[in-house]
Amino acid sequence: MHTLKHATRSVVAVIALAATTQFSLAQNTENPRGIYKLMTLTGKQGTTKAPFDQYKICTDSVTLHLSIEGNRFSLGSNDRSIYNYTGEAPDPIDNLALRIYDSNAQRFTLKWWSKYRNHMFFPENDWCVETYESGQFSPTGRRLIDALSSTGATDKANPLIGTWRVLGMMDELRDVKKELERLQTRKGQTLRREDAFVVFTPENMVHTGFSSIANVTYIDKKSMKVGNQVMNLTWLTKDIVAVEVKQDWRTDYEIWQRTTDSRSVLSRIASLYVKRK
């Protein structure tokens, strides 16, 4: 009887272990969705701690790549593919196709074929392996992603708080009504960027047109200090503001228009890449 009980406990333990293993494997075959930070890179120098402050923003429609260096960043769709689970085995059609595995809401592994020449970390004609984790941010990464992800923020005491679309530039503020019509209808605005937005939080200013993030101090409703520079504002309407931009001896004006819906800048930029497919 003692032997039977012992055998029964052993069988139960094996079944429980098998079930746990199957559950674990199932959980690691999900499509990665969310914001993930690069944690390790295996390449030319072996496996190293992430040498870049880099993120993958994974959605059902597009994968965005965000990299940060100092107070500058780049945001785009470098991979031009949606990150879905592939497994670690080679693709039967293209054995150099990128691979996504060990993936769930918390982490995923990316394996891609590098053709870089003379790169410090990426090998030439060999595989790179990158691991990513969600919920991980550098201090600047947290500030930036919080701002880009914010939706519909407003503050009655500070009209700048929120999201603004960059309409374009004016040489001077004469004939404002005519110039605003030109900017808003895009007449003559062939260089206007659809991905140029400005986001203000209580402490930060993010300008996607300049790919920069800076500390901001609000002096009053007509001026602010961005980094070490004081910038003057002229309110053309309650939702349109002209911002002085000094270049050498010239003063131009960048025109911003407040966005009135609750879409985040991250969502807006992602949708631009979906449209370009």
Side-chain angles (χ1 to χ4, degrees), residues 164-170 175-190 192 194 236-241 255-260:
W164 301 78
R165 178 183 293 279
V166 179
L167 294 182
M169 299 291 293
M170 288 185 185
D175 299 323
V176 166
K177 184 176 180 180
K178 181 179 179 180
E179 286 297 293
L180 281 179
E181 182 182 359
R182 176 179 66 84
L183 292 177
Q184 290 174 303
T185 58
R186 302 188 65 177
K187 292 178 182 178
Q189 284 294 295
T190 56
R192 173 180 162 185
E194 290 185 288
L236 305 179
T237 73
K238 68 180 181 64
D239 291 324
I240 300 178
V241 63
I255 310 302
W256 304 341
Q257 183 175 35
R258 188 192 312 276
T259 63
T260 55

PDB file of all heavy atoms in Angstrom, residues 164-170 175-190 192 194 236-241 255-260:
ATOM      1  N   TRP A 164      -0.422  69.118 -30.033  1.00  0.00           N
ATOM      2  CA  TRP A 164      -0.538  70.110 -31.087  1.00  0.00           C
ATOM      3  C   TRP A 164      -0.003  69.545 -32.394  1.00  0.00           C
ATOM      4  O   TRP A 164       1.006  68.869 -32.405  1.00  0.00           O
ATOM      5  CB  TRP A 164       0.252  71.375 -30.728  1.00  0.00           C
ATOM      6  CG  TRP A 164      -0.191  72.008 -29.446  1.00  0.00           C
ATOM      7  CD1 TRP A 164       0.118  71.592 -28.169  1.00  0.00           C
ATOM      8  CD2 TRP A 164      -1.028  73.148 -29.301  1.00  0.00           C
ATOM      9  NE1 TRP A 164      -0.477  72.409 -27.251  1.00  0.00           N
ATOM     10  CE2 TRP A 164      -1.189  73.380 -27.912  1.00  0.00           C
ATOM     11  CE3 TRP A 164      -1.645  74.013 -30.205  1.00  0.00           C
ATOM     12  CZ2 TRP A 164      -1.945  74.427 -27.418  1.00  0.00           C
ATOM     13  CZ3 TRP A 164      -2.413  75.055 -29.712  1.00  0.00           C
ATOM     14  CH2 TRP A 164      -2.553  75.258 -28.334  1.00  0.00           C
ATOM     15  N   ARG A 165      -0.695  69.861 -33.484  1.00  0.00           N
ATOM     16  CA  ARG A 165      -0.208  69.505 -34.815  1.00  0.00           C
ATOM     17  C   ARG A 165       0.585  70.691 -35.367  1.00  0.00           C
ATOM     18  O   ARG A 165       0.139  71.846 -35.251  1.00  0.00           O
ATOM     19  CB  ARG A 165      -1.367  69.187 -35.760  1.00  0.00           C
ATOM     20  CG  ARG A 165      -0.917  68.851 -37.186  1.00  0.00           C
ATOM     21  CD  ARG A 165      -2.110  68.620 -38.100  1.00  0.00           C
ATOM     22  NE  ARG A 165      -2.830  67.422 -37.730  1.00  0.00           N
ATOM     23  CZ  ARG A 165      -2.467  66.193 -38.086  1.00  0.00           C
ATOM     24  NH1 ARG A 165      -1.372  66.015 -38.810  1.00  0.00           N
ATOM     25  NH2 ARG A 165      -3.185  65.159 -37.721  1.00  0.00           N
ATOM     26  N   VAL A 166       1.747  70.418 -35.949  1.00  0.00           N
ATOM     27  CA  VAL A 166       2.548  71.483 -36.556  1.00  0.00           C
ATOM     28  C   VAL A 166       2.000  71.746 -37.959  1.00  0.00           C
ATOM     29  O   VAL A 166       2.054  70.886 -38.835  1.00  0.00           O
ATOM     30  CB  VAL A 166       4.033  71.092 -36.628  1.00  0.00           C
ATOM     31  CG1 VAL A 166       4.841  72.205 -37.298  1.00  0.00           C
ATOM     32  CG2 VAL A 166       4.581  70.795 -35.227  1.00  0.00           C
ATOM     33  N   LEU A 167       1.458  72.965 -38.171  1.00  0.00           N
ATOM     34  CA  LEU A 167       0.890  73.312 -39.469  1.00  0.00           C
ATOM     35  C   LEU A 167       1.960  73.745 -40.461  1.00  0.00           C
ATOM     36  O   LEU A 167       1.857  73.477 -41.660  1.00  0.00           O
ATOM     37  CB  LEU A 167      -0.141  74.438 -39.317  1.00  0.00           C
ATOM     38  CG  LEU A 167      -1.409  74.105 -38.540  1.00  0.00           C
ATOM     39  CD1 LEU A 167      -2.340  75.319 -38.522  1.00  0.00           C
ATOM     40  CD2 LEU A 167      -2.125  72.909 -39.139  1.00  0.00           C
ATOM     41  N   GLY A 168       2.980  74.432 -39.989  1.00  0.00           N
ATOM     42  CA  GLY A 168       4.020  74.930 -40.888  1.00  0.00           C
ATOM     43  C   GLY A 168       4.652  76.188 -40.338  1.00  0.00           C
ATOM     44  O   GLY A 168       4.539  76.487 -39.144  1.00  0.00           O
ATOM     45  N   MET A 169       5.311  76.950 -41.227  1.00  0.00           N
ATOM     46  CA  MET A 169       6.047  78.140 -40.817  1.00  0.00           C
ATOM     47  C   MET A 169       5.481  79.395 -41.475  1.00  0.00           C
ATOM     48  O   MET A 169       4.960  79.351 -42.588  1.00  0.00           O
ATOM     49  CB  MET A 169       7.517  78.003 -41.208  1.00  0.00           C
ATOM     50  CG  MET A 169       8.230  76.838 -40.577  1.00  0.00           C
ATOM     51  SD  MET A 169       8.489  77.002 -38.799  1.00  0.00           S
ATOM     52  CE  MET A 169       9.664  78.366 -38.748  1.00  0.00           C
ATOM     53  N   MET A 170       5.594  80.507 -40.755  1.00  0.00           N
ATOM     54  CA  MET A 170       5.305  81.840 -41.303  1.00  0.00           C
ATOM     55  C   MET A 170       6.551  82.699 -41.132  1.00  0.00           C
ATOM     56  O   MET A 170       7.243  82.618 -40.113  1.00  0.00           O
ATOM     57  CB  MET A 170       4.150  82.514 -40.553  1.00  0.00           C
ATOM     58  CG  MET A 170       2.780  81.954 -40.803  1.00  0.00           C
ATOM     59  SD  MET A 170       1.533  82.988 -39.940  1.00  0.00           S
ATOM     60  CE  MET A 170       0.053  82.035 -40.250  1.00  0.00           C
ATOM     61  N   ASP A 175      -1.117  89.472 -42.193  1.00  0.00           N
ATOM     62  CA  ASP A 175      -2.103  88.727 -42.984  1.00  0.00           C
ATOM     63  C   ASP A 175      -2.334  87.330 -42.401  1.00  0.00           C
ATOM     64  O   ASP A 175      -2.333  86.325 -43.108  1.00  0.00           O
ATOM     65  CB  ASP A 175      -1.669  88.618 -44.453  1.00  0.00           C
ATOM     66  CG  ASP A 175      -1.535  89.980 -45.115  1.00  0.00           C
ATOM     67  OD1 ASP A 175      -2.364  90.859 -44.805  1.00  0.00           O
ATOM     68  OD2 ASP A 175      -0.609  90.164 -45.909  1.00  0.00           O
ATOM     69  N   VAL A 176      -2.529  87.299 -41.092  1.00  0.00           N
ATOM     70  CA  VAL A 176      -2.624  86.015 -40.391  1.00  0.00           C
ATOM     71  C   VAL A 176      -3.760  85.163 -40.946  1.00  0.00           C
ATOM     72  O   VAL A 176      -3.589  83.956 -41.177  1.00  0.00           O
ATOM     73  CB  VAL A 176      -2.812  86.243 -38.872  1.00  0.00           C
ATOM     74  CG1 VAL A 176      -3.240  84.957 -38.196  1.00  0.00           C
ATOM     75  CG2 VAL A 176      -1.530  86.758 -38.264  1.00  0.00           C
ATOM     76  N   LYS A 177      -4.922  85.756 -41.160  1.00  0.00           N
ATOM     77  CA  LYS A 177      -6.071  84.982 -41.610  1.00  0.00           C
ATOM     78  C   LYS A 177      -5.780  84.289 -42.936  1.00  0.00           C
ATOM     79  O   LYS A 177      -6.057  83.092 -43.107  1.00  0.00           O
ATOM     80  CB  LYS A 177      -7.300  85.897 -41.752  1.00  0.00           C
ATOM     81  CG  LYS A 177      -8.570  85.150 -42.114  1.00  0.00           C
ATOM     82  CD  LYS A 177      -9.764  86.099 -42.136  1.00  0.00           C
ATOM     83  CE  LYS A 177     -11.035  85.338 -42.500  1.00  0.00           C
ATOM     84  NZ  LYS A 177     -12.230  86.241 -42.523  1.00  0.00           N
ATOM     85  N   LYS A 178      -5.187  85.009 -43.872  1.00  0.00           N
ATOM     86  CA  LYS A 178      -4.863  84.446 -45.181  1.00  0.00           C
ATOM     87  C   LYS A 178      -3.817  83.343 -45.057  1.00  0.00           C
ATOM     88  O   LYS A 178      -3.916  82.280 -45.691  1.00  0.00           O
ATOM     89  CB  LYS A 178      -4.368  85.564 -46.095  1.00  0.00           C
ATOM     90  CG  LYS A 178      -4.030  85.111 -47.505  1.00  0.00           C
ATOM     91  CD  LYS A 178      -3.581  86.293 -48.344  1.00  0.00           C
ATOM     92  CE  LYS A 178      -3.211  85.849 -49.753  1.00  0.00           C
ATOM     93  NZ  LYS A 178      -2.757  87.008 -50.582  1.00  0.00           N
ATOM     94  N   GLU A 179      -2.811  83.581 -44.236  1.00  0.00           N
ATOM     95  CA  GLU A 179      -1.739  82.604 -44.062  1.00  0.00           C
ATOM     96  C   GLU A 179      -2.237  81.337 -43.378  1.00  0.00           C
ATOM     97  O   GLU A 179      -1.841  80.223 -43.740  1.00  0.00           O
ATOM     98  CB  GLU A 179      -0.592  83.219 -43.259  1.00  0.00           C
ATOM     99  CG  GLU A 179       0.243  84.216 -44.054  1.00  0.00           C
ATOM    100  CD  GLU A 179       0.940  83.540 -45.224  1.00  0.00           C
ATOM    101  OE1 GLU A 179       1.828  82.709 -44.993  1.00  0.00           O
ATOM    102  OE2 GLU A 179       0.562  83.823 -46.380  1.00  0.00           O
ATOM    103  N   LEU A 180      -3.121  81.514 -42.391  1.00  0.00           N
ATOM    104  CA  LEU A 180      -3.658  80.337 -41.707  1.00  0.00           C
ATOM    105  C   LEU A 180      -4.477  79.475 -42.663  1.00  0.00           C
ATOM    106  O   LEU A 180      -4.416  78.244 -42.615  1.00  0.00           O
ATOM    107  CB  LEU A 180      -4.534  80.758 -40.528  1.00  0.00           C
ATOM    108  CG  LEU A 180      -3.803  81.170 -39.254  1.00  0.00           C
ATOM    109  CD1 LEU A 180      -4.798  81.572 -38.181  1.00  0.00           C
ATOM    110  CD2 LEU A 180      -2.913  80.042 -38.749  1.00  0.00           C
ATOM    111  N   GLU A 181      -5.232  80.130 -43.531  1.00  0.00           N
ATOM    112  CA  GLU A 181      -6.009  79.374 -44.514  1.00  0.00           C
ATOM    113  C   GLU A 181      -5.081  78.562 -45.409  1.00  0.00           C
ATOM    114  O   GLU A 181      -5.348  77.404 -45.723  1.00  0.00           O
ATOM    115  CB  GLU A 181      -6.858  80.327 -45.362  1.00  0.00           C
ATOM    116  CG  GLU A 181      -7.734  79.585 -46.384  1.00  0.00           C
ATOM    117  CD  GLU A 181      -8.539  80.548 -47.255  1.00  0.00           C
ATOM    118  OE1 GLU A 181      -8.416  81.774 -47.047  1.00  0.00           O
ATOM    119  OE2 GLU A 181      -9.264  80.059 -48.124  1.00  0.00           O
ATOM    120  N   ARG A 182      -3.968  79.169 -45.798  1.00  0.00           N
ATOM    121  CA  ARG A 182      -3.004  78.463 -46.641  1.00  0.00           C
ATOM    122  C   ARG A 182      -2.415  77.256 -45.904  1.00  0.00           C
ATOM    123  O   ARG A 182      -2.313  76.165 -46.467  1.00  0.00           O
ATOM    124  CB  ARG A 182      -1.875  79.418 -47.049  1.00  0.00           C
ATOM    125  CG  ARG A 182      -0.768  78.750 -47.862  1.00  0.00           C
ATOM    126  CD  ARG A 182       0.306  79.746 -48.247  1.00  0.00           C
ATOM    127  NE  ARG A 182       1.025  80.259 -47.085  1.00  0.00           N
ATOM    128  CZ  ARG A 182       2.057  79.624 -46.508  1.00  0.00           C
ATOM    129  NH1 ARG A 182       2.462  78.456 -46.969  1.00  0.00           N
ATOM    130  NH2 ARG A 182       2.670  80.155 -45.471  1.00  0.00           N
ATOM    131  N   LEU A 183      -2.057  77.448 -44.640  1.00  0.00           N
ATOM    132  CA  LEU A 183      -1.460  76.360 -43.879  1.00  0.00           C
ATOM    133  C   LEU A 183      -2.454  75.226 -43.612  1.00  0.00           C
ATOM    134  O   LEU A 183      -2.122  74.049 -43.713  1.00  0.00           O
ATOM    135  CB  LEU A 183      -0.915  76.879 -42.544  1.00  0.00           C
ATOM    136  CG  LEU A 183       0.289  77.826 -42.633  1.00  0.00           C
ATOM    137  CD1 LEU A 183       0.664  78.323 -41.238  1.00  0.00           C
ATOM    138  CD2 LEU A 183       1.486  77.130 -43.277  1.00  0.00           C
ATOM    139  N   GLN A 184      -3.690  75.613 -43.277  1.00  0.00           N
ATOM    140  CA  GLN A 184      -4.676  74.592 -42.929  1.00  0.00           C
ATOM    141  C   GLN A 184      -5.170  73.808 -44.136  1.00  0.00           C
ATOM    142  O   GLN A 184      -5.556  72.649 -44.009  1.00  0.00           O
ATOM    143  CB  GLN A 184      -5.849  75.238 -42.193  1.00  0.00           C
ATOM    144  CG  GLN A 184      -5.482  75.722 -40.795  1.00  0.00           C
ATOM    145  CD  GLN A 184      -6.603  76.493 -40.143  1.00  0.00           C
ATOM    146  OE1 GLN A 184      -7.093  77.481 -40.668  1.00  0.00           O
ATOM    147  NE2 GLN A 184      -7.028  76.023 -38.977  1.00  0.00           N
ATOM    148  N   THR A 185      -5.164  74.427 -45.307  1.00  0.00           N
ATOM    149  CA  THR A 185      -5.585  73.720 -46.519  1.00  0.00           C
ATOM    150  C   THR A 185      -4.398  73.134 -47.261  1.00  0.00           C
ATOM    151  O   THR A 185      -4.560  72.512 -48.298  1.00  0.00           O
ATOM    152  CB  THR A 185      -6.343  74.668 -47.470  1.00  0.00           C
ATOM    153  OG1 THR A 185      -5.495  75.780 -47.807  1.00  0.00           O
ATOM    154  CG2 THR A 185      -7.608  75.177 -46.823  1.00  0.00           C
ATOM    155  N   ARG A 186      -3.199  73.376 -46.734  1.00  0.00           N
ATOM    156  CA  ARG A 186      -1.955  72.833 -47.273  1.00  0.00           C
ATOM    157  C   ARG A 186      -1.585  73.416 -48.630  1.00  0.00           C
ATOM    158  O   ARG A 186      -0.773  72.838 -49.344  1.00  0.00           O
ATOM    159  CB  ARG A 186      -2.032  71.305 -47.353  1.00  0.00           C
ATOM    160  CG  ARG A 186      -2.294  70.634 -46.028  1.00  0.00           C
ATOM    161  CD  ARG A 186      -2.175  69.144 -46.112  1.00  0.00           C
ATOM    162  NE  ARG A 186      -0.817  68.740 -46.431  1.00  0.00           N
ATOM    163  CZ  ARG A 186      -0.419  67.472 -46.506  1.00  0.00           C
ATOM    164  NH1 ARG A 186      -1.285  66.518 -46.305  1.00  0.00           N
ATOM    165  NH2 ARG A 186       0.829  67.179 -46.791  1.00  0.00           N
ATOM    166  N   LYS A 187      -2.168  74.549 -48.998  1.00  0.00           N
ATOM    167  CA  LYS A 187      -1.789  75.183 -50.260  1.00  0.00           C
ATOM    168  C   LYS A 187      -0.330  75.631 -50.179  1.00  0.00           C
ATOM    169  O   LYS A 187       0.051  76.378 -49.284  1.00  0.00           O
ATOM    170  CB  LYS A 187      -2.684  76.388 -50.552  1.00  0.00           C
ATOM    171  CG  LYS A 187      -4.132  76.018 -50.848  1.00  0.00           C
ATOM    172  CD  LYS A 187      -4.965  77.257 -51.077  1.00  0.00           C
ATOM    173  CE  LYS A 187      -6.421  76.896 -51.334  1.00  0.00           C
ATOM    174  NZ  LYS A 187      -7.267  78.103 -51.507  1.00  0.00           N
ATOM    175  N   GLY A 188       0.462  75.164 -51.096  1.00  0.00           N
ATOM    176  CA  GLY A 188       1.874  75.544 -51.105  1.00  0.00           C
ATOM    177  C   GLY A 188       2.682  74.875 -50.010  1.00  0.00           C
ATOM    178  O   GLY A 188       3.837  75.208 -49.796  1.00  0.00           O
ATOM    179  N   GLN A 189       2.066  73.895 -49.309  1.00  0.00           N
ATOM    180  CA  GLN A 189       2.759  73.256 -48.187  1.00  0.00           C
ATOM    181  C   GLN A 189       3.240  71.857 -48.553  1.00  0.00           C
ATOM    182  O   GLN A 189       2.957  70.880 -47.885  1.00  0.00           O
ATOM    183  CB  GLN A 189       1.825  73.189 -46.978  1.00  0.00           C
ATOM    184  CG  GLN A 189       1.657  74.519 -46.284  1.00  0.00           C
ATOM    185  CD  GLN A 189       2.956  74.973 -45.654  1.00  0.00           C
ATOM    186  OE1 GLN A 189       3.465  74.347 -44.747  1.00  0.00           O
ATOM    187  NE2 GLN A 189       3.502  76.054 -46.151  1.00  0.00           N
ATOM    188  N   THR A 190       3.981  71.741 -49.642  1.00  0.00           N
ATOM    189  CA  THR A 190       4.440  70.431 -50.082  1.00  0.00           C
ATOM    190  C   THR A 190       5.447  69.827 -49.109  1.00  0.00           C
ATOM    191  O   THR A 190       5.656  68.627 -49.104  1.00  0.00           O
ATOM    192  CB  THR A 190       5.086  70.537 -51.473  1.00  0.00           C
ATOM    193  OG1 THR A 190       6.141  71.509 -51.415  1.00  0.00           O
ATOM    194  CG2 THR A 190       4.073  70.956 -52.513  1.00  0.00           C
ATOM    195  N   ARG A 192       5.199  70.121 -45.779  1.00  0.00           N
ATOM    196  CA  ARG A 192       4.585  69.883 -44.464  1.00  0.00           C
ATOM    197  C   ARG A 192       4.652  68.404 -44.105  1.00  0.00           C
ATOM    198  O   ARG A 192       4.351  67.530 -44.918  1.00  0.00           O
ATOM    199  CB  ARG A 192       3.135  70.344 -44.481  1.00  0.00           C
ATOM    200  CG  ARG A 192       2.384  69.975 -43.201  1.00  0.00           C
ATOM    201  CD  ARG A 192       0.961  70.461 -43.268  1.00  0.00           C
ATOM    202  NE  ARG A 192       0.140  69.779 -42.277  1.00  0.00           N
ATOM    203  CZ  ARG A 192      -1.164  69.937 -42.178  1.00  0.00           C
ATOM    204  NH1 ARG A 192      -1.784  70.755 -42.992  1.00  0.00           N
ATOM    205  NH2 ARG A 192      -1.851  69.289 -41.266  1.00  0.00           N
ATOM    206  N   GLU A 194       3.374  65.196 -42.064  1.00  0.00           N
ATOM    207  CA  GLU A 194       2.178  64.687 -41.392  1.00  0.00           C
ATOM    208  C   GLU A 194       2.488  64.135 -40.011  1.00  0.00           C
ATOM    209  O   GLU A 194       1.578  63.955 -39.199  1.00  0.00           O
ATOM    210  CB  GLU A 194       1.526  63.599 -42.246  1.00  0.00           C
ATOM    211  CG  GLU A 194       0.875  64.111 -43.520  1.00  0.00           C
ATOM    212  CD  GLU A 194       0.150  62.989 -44.234  1.00  0.00           C
ATOM    213  OE1 GLU A 194       0.826  62.111 -44.796  1.00  0.00           O
ATOM    214  OE2 GLU A 194      -1.098  62.990 -44.217  1.00  0.00           O
ATOM    215  N   LEU A 236      -2.973  83.124 -31.815  1.00  0.00           N
ATOM    216  CA  LEU A 236      -3.741  83.610 -32.955  1.00  0.00           C
ATOM    217  C   LEU A 236      -5.231  83.334 -32.756  1.00  0.00           C
ATOM    218  O   LEU A 236      -6.078  84.118 -33.159  1.00  0.00           O
ATOM    219  CB  LEU A 236      -3.233  82.958 -34.240  1.00  0.00           C
ATOM    220  CG  LEU A 236      -1.721  83.134 -34.495  1.00  0.00           C
ATOM    221  CD1 LEU A 236      -1.316  82.422 -35.772  1.00  0.00           C
ATOM    222  CD2 LEU A 236      -1.350  84.616 -34.550  1.00  0.00           C
ATOM    223  N   THR A 237      -5.542  82.185 -32.167  1.00  0.00           N
ATOM    224  CA  THR A 237      -6.886  81.851 -31.684  1.00  0.00           C
ATOM    225  C   THR A 237      -6.657  81.049 -30.407  1.00  0.00           C
ATOM    226  O   THR A 237      -5.512  80.783 -30.034  1.00  0.00           O
ATOM    227  CB  THR A 237      -7.693  80.996 -32.689  1.00  0.00           C
ATOM    228  OG1 THR A 237      -7.166  79.667 -32.704  1.00  0.00           O
ATOM    229  CG2 THR A 237      -7.628  81.588 -34.099  1.00  0.00           C
ATOM    230  N   LYS A 238      -7.722  80.607 -29.761  1.00  0.00           N
ATOM    231  CA  LYS A 238      -7.529  79.817 -28.537  1.00  0.00           C
ATOM    232  C   LYS A 238      -6.933  78.446 -28.836  1.00  0.00           C
ATOM    233  O   LYS A 238      -6.411  77.787 -27.934  1.00  0.00           O
ATOM    234  CB  LYS A 238      -8.845  79.669 -27.780  1.00  0.00           C
ATOM    235  CG  LYS A 238      -9.902  78.816 -28.452  1.00  0.00           C
ATOM    236  CD  LYS A 238     -11.162  78.739 -27.621  1.00  0.00           C
ATOM    237  CE  LYS A 238     -12.231  77.870 -28.261  1.00  0.00           C
ATOM    238  NZ  LYS A 238     -11.834  76.449 -28.372  1.00  0.00           N
ATOM    239  N   ASP A 239      -6.990  78.015 -30.108  1.00  0.00           N
ATOM    240  CA  ASP A 239      -6.473  76.699 -30.475  1.00  0.00           C
ATOM    241  C   ASP A 239      -5.317  76.751 -31.470  1.00  0.00           C
ATOM    242  O   ASP A 239      -4.869  75.709 -31.958  1.00  0.00           O
ATOM    243  CB  ASP A 239      -7.592  75.828 -31.061  1.00  0.00           C
ATOM    244  CG  ASP A 239      -8.622  75.440 -30.007  1.00  0.00           C
ATOM    245  OD1 ASP A 239      -8.221  75.214 -28.850  1.00  0.00           O
ATOM    246  OD2 ASP A 239      -9.814  75.386 -30.344  1.00  0.00           O
ATOM    247  N   ILE A 240      -4.843  77.949 -31.798  1.00  0.00           N
ATOM    248  CA  ILE A 240      -3.725  78.081 -32.728  1.00  0.00           C
ATOM    249  C   ILE A 240      -2.729  79.075 -32.146  1.00  0.00           C
ATOM    250  O   ILE A 240      -3.100  80.188 -31.748  1.00  0.00           O
ATOM    251  CB  ILE A 240      -4.191  78.566 -34.125  1.00  0.00           C
ATOM    252  CG1 ILE A 240      -5.186  77.569 -34.726  1.00  0.00           C
ATOM    253  CG2 ILE A 240      -2.998  78.746 -35.055  1.00  0.00           C
ATOM    254  CD1 ILE A 240      -5.740  77.990 -36.073  1.00  0.00           C
ATOM    255  N   VAL A 241      -1.474  78.674 -32.096  1.00  0.00           N
ATOM    256  CA  VAL A 241      -0.453  79.516 -31.504  1.00  0.00           C
ATOM    257  C   VAL A 241       0.752  79.599 -32.430  1.00  0.00           C
ATOM    258  O   VAL A 241       1.096  78.639 -33.121  1.00  0.00           O
ATOM    259  CB  VAL A 241      -0.042  78.973 -30.104  1.00  0.00           C
ATOM    260  CG1 VAL A 241       0.575  77.588 -30.213  1.00  0.00           C
ATOM    261  CG2 VAL A 241       0.879  79.923 -29.383  1.00  0.00           C
ATOM    262  N   ILE A 255       3.773  77.388 -36.557  1.00  0.00           N
ATOM    263  CA  ILE A 255       2.359  77.473 -36.216  1.00  0.00           C
ATOM    264  C   ILE A 255       1.852  76.109 -35.764  1.00  0.00           C
ATOM    265  O   ILE A 255       1.999  75.109 -36.468  1.00  0.00           O
ATOM    266  CB  ILE A 255       1.525  77.960 -37.429  1.00  0.00           C
ATOM    267  CG1 ILE A 255       2.162  79.229 -38.043  1.00  0.00           C
ATOM    268  CG2 ILE A 255       0.087  78.225 -37.001  1.00  0.00           C
ATOM    269  CD1 ILE A 255       2.305  80.383 -37.081  1.00  0.00           C
ATOM    270  N   TRP A 256       1.265  76.099 -34.558  1.00  0.00           N
ATOM    271  CA  TRP A 256       0.713  74.869 -33.991  1.00  0.00           C
ATOM    272  C   TRP A 256      -0.794  74.992 -33.855  1.00  0.00           C
ATOM    273  O   TRP A 256      -1.306  76.048 -33.489  1.00  0.00           O
ATOM    274  CB  TRP A 256       1.290  74.591 -32.605  1.00  0.00           C
ATOM    275  CG  TRP A 256       2.782  74.502 -32.528  1.00  0.00           C
ATOM    276  CD1 TRP A 256       3.665  74.278 -33.546  1.00  0.00           C
ATOM    277  CD2 TRP A 256       3.569  74.633 -31.340  1.00  0.00           C
ATOM    278  NE1 TRP A 256       4.951  74.246 -33.074  1.00  0.00           N
ATOM    279  CE2 TRP A 256       4.931  74.465 -31.719  1.00  0.00           C
ATOM    280  CE3 TRP A 256       3.270  74.848 -29.993  1.00  0.00           C
ATOM    281  CZ2 TRP A 256       5.971  74.522 -30.802  1.00  0.00           C
ATOM    282  CZ3 TRP A 256       4.300  74.912 -29.083  1.00  0.00           C
ATOM    283  CH2 TRP A 256       5.643  74.746 -29.484  1.00  0.00           C
ATOM    284  N   GLN A 257      -1.484  73.903 -34.124  1.00  0.00           N
ATOM    285  CA  GLN A 257      -2.934  73.843 -33.932  1.00  0.00           C
ATOM    286  C   GLN A 257      -3.263  72.703 -32.970  1.00  0.00           C
ATOM    287  O   GLN A 257      -2.813  71.573 -33.143  1.00  0.00           O
ATOM    288  CB  GLN A 257      -3.656  73.611 -35.259  1.00  0.00           C
ATOM    289  CG  GLN A 257      -5.174  73.618 -35.139  1.00  0.00           C
ATOM    290  CD  GLN A 257      -5.854  73.511 -36.498  1.00  0.00           C
ATOM    291  OE1 GLN A 257      -5.371  72.840 -37.406  1.00  0.00           O
ATOM    292  NE2 GLN A 257      -6.974  74.201 -36.634  1.00  0.00           N
ATOM    293  N   ARG A 258      -4.054  73.011 -31.956  1.00  0.00           N
ATOM    294  CA  ARG A 258      -4.397  72.011 -30.952  1.00  0.00           C
ATOM    295  C   ARG A 258      -5.217  70.881 -31.581  1.00  0.00           C
ATOM    296  O   ARG A 258      -6.115  71.124 -32.392  1.00  0.00           O
ATOM    297  CB  ARG A 258      -5.231  72.668 -29.844  1.00  0.00           C
ATOM    298  CG  ARG A 258      -5.473  71.759 -28.637  1.00  0.00           C
ATOM    299  CD  ARG A 258      -6.529  72.344 -27.714  1.00  0.00           C
ATOM    300  NE  ARG A 258      -6.307  73.755 -27.416  1.00  0.00           N
ATOM    301  CZ  ARG A 258      -5.487  74.201 -26.458  1.00  0.00           C
ATOM    302  NH1 ARG A 258      -4.812  73.349 -25.723  1.00  0.00           N
ATOM    303  NH2 ARG A 258      -5.345  75.500 -26.247  1.00  0.00           N
ATOM    304  N   THR A 259      -4.915  69.633 -31.218  1.00  0.00           N
ATOM    305  CA  THR A 259      -5.759  68.512 -31.619  1.00  0.00           C
ATOM    306  C   THR A 259      -6.922  68.427 -30.642  1.00  0.00           C
ATOM    307  O   THR A 259      -6.763  68.684 -29.452  1.00  0.00           O
ATOM    308  CB  THR A 259      -4.986  67.179 -31.618  1.00  0.00           C
ATOM    309  OG1 THR A 259      -4.550  66.891 -30.281  1.00  0.00           O
ATOM    310  CG2 THR A 259      -3.767  67.263 -32.533  1.00  0.00           C
ATOM    311  N   THR A 260      -8.076  68.063 -31.156  1.00  0.00           N
ATOM    312  CA  THR A 260      -9.282  68.123 -30.321  1.00  0.00           C
ATOM    313  C   THR A 260      -9.872  66.750 -30.023  1.00  0.00           C
ATOM    314  O   THR A 260     -10.887  66.654 -29.350  1.00  0.00           O
ATOM    315  CB  THR A 260     -10.357  68.985 -31.000  1.00  0.00           C
ATOM    316  OG1 THR A 260     -10.615  68.473 -32.312  1.00  0.00           O
ATOM    317  CG2 THR A 260      -9.898  70.435 -31.110  1.00  0.00           C
TER     318      THR A 260
END
